Amino acid sequence: MSTVSVSPAFVHPGPPPELPELPEGVTLGPRWAPWMAPLALLGGLAGALVGGLTIGLISAAAGASLSHPPPGVGIAETVVQDLAFVGAAVLFAGMAGRPARRSDFGLRSARLWGAVGWLVLAWLAFLTFSALWGAIVSDHSKQRLLHELGADRSTAGLVAAAALVTVVAPVCEELFFRGFFYRALSNWRGPWLAAIITGLVFGGVHAGPDTPAALLLPLAFFGFALCLLYRRTGSLYPCIALHVLNNCLAFGVTEHWGWQIPVLMVAALATVGLGAVLIHPRRRPQGSASAPVPA
């Protein structure tokens, strides 16, 4: 009987790299059942409600006013609510028969310039739609979200609100709405109807006393455009980047900023980029482990 020996210098190259884009009509990872989308949405809403109430009760027990809570309470409630949607997506994605991987949610690379081109096109479409909608609907009400978060009360509140609006919210919302909700619905009646439904739900969940009703339809269109961007690039990162850029612009305009807006954009994108690098560890080149150590 012959045996095959492995050279001591052999180093296993590791798993194959992730593809930069998906071929047209091909999906990556498990085909999530369409019914998971509405149930995950309900689970996210329930988790957000319970989390918000818990934060409110804790702050009330500490002596804070329930009717006029301090800025930190609103920020904490919003973070918990965003994380509740991510948790719901991960929970239901895990029902597909194996633990969900980051690539299942679209956290995979894309061709740079192709992604940039589609990102710019999607953003221009959204800005054009918003301008046309604003010309049709005269609504002079202003968003009060940043005021409720305490962005106008202190420097610390401003920094915390900026981090929440430009980093935490885009990442969490994209992971749920494009990474899971849209993907699951696409297995029902195809990508176009899934994009329309996802956009409408995305706009609907932003309804509240701090968001003017006139902004809901543009937000729904934004959600629709993000779905198409995800489909064209096969990656969630361009969607996160566009969401970050748009929220930076909206935050800066609300604060009446000028040169600070591009600075905020760079800082937010750098933060998200650092997070992407951390969850995608670099693979050692083949043979590097067997290289001699200098004496």
Side-chain angles (χ1 to χ4, degrees):
M1 179 182 293
S2 62
T3 60
V4 178
S5 61
V6 179
S7 171
F10 175 77
V11 178
H12 193 280
E18 295 177 326
L19 296 175
E21 287 192 14
L22 293 176
E24 186 70 22
V26 177
T27 59
L28 178 69
R31 291 181 61 86
W32 294 320
W35 58 262
M36 291 182 176
L39 288 186
L41 177 64
L42 292 176
L45 291 172
L49 177 61
V50 172
L53 289 176
T54 302
I55 296 295
L57 292 175
I58 293 175
S59 64
S65 172
L66 286 176
S67 57
H68 297 87
V73 174
I75 292 175
E77 288 177 343
T78 307
V79 170
V80 169
Q81 291 166 1
D82 287 338
L83 293 178
F85 280 96
V86 175
V90 173
L91 175 64
F92 279 89
M95 297 180 180
R98 62 169 173 81
R101 299 174 297 189
R102 59 176 180 265
S103 58
D104 295 338
F105 295 96
L107 297 177
R108 56 197 310 273
S109 60
R111 294 189 178 94
L112 176 60
W113 294 115
V116 171
W118 286 111
L119 184 155
V120 172
L121 182 61
W123 202 7
L124 288 177
F126 166 64
L127 294 177
T128 301
F129 181 89
S130 298
L132 294 175
W133 180 253
I136 296 173
V137 179
S138 298
D139 188 348
H140 301 289
S141 57
K142 299 180 180 179
Q143 272 191 295
R144 294 182 50 82
L145 176 61
L146 299 184
H147 172 74
E148 296 299 326
L149 293 176
D152 55 349
R153 303 184 196 179
S154 66
T155 301
L158 179 65
V159 172
L164 171 62
V165 172
T166 64
V167 176
V168 177
V171 171
C172 292
E173 291 177 4
E174 290 310 306
L175 280 171
F176 179 81
F177 284 103
R178 256 59 61 179
F180 179 78
F181 191 86
Y182 168 69
R183 275 281 313 279
L185 285 183
S186 296
N187 297 324
W188 177 42
R189 290 289 188 270
W192 285 97
L193 181 58
I196 294 173
I197 295 175
T198 302
L200 292 174
V201 173
F202 178 77
V205 298
H206 287 84
D210 300 325
T211 303
L215 290 180
L216 296 182
L217 187 58
L219 285 175
F221 184 87
F222 187 51
F224 170 79
L226 286 168
C227 291
L228 299 187
L229 176 61
Y230 179 37
R231 176 163 178 80
R232 293 304 306 179
T233 62
S235 171
L236 198 66
Y237 288 123
C239 303
I240 294 176
L242 176 53
H243 205 147
V244 165
L245 291 172
N246 189 73
N247 281 19
C248 286
L249 178 61
F251 188 97
V253 169
T254 303
E255 292 295 309
H256 306 289
W257 282 356
W259 60 267
Q260 298 94 331
I261 296 179
V263 172
L264 179 62
M265 288 180 174
V266 171
L269 287 177
T271 302
V272 173
L274 177 60
V277 170
L278 292 177
I279 69 171
H280 291 279
R282 295 180 59 186
R283 298 182 178 90
R284 292 185 300 177
Q286 183 176 353
S288 62
S290 60
V293 178

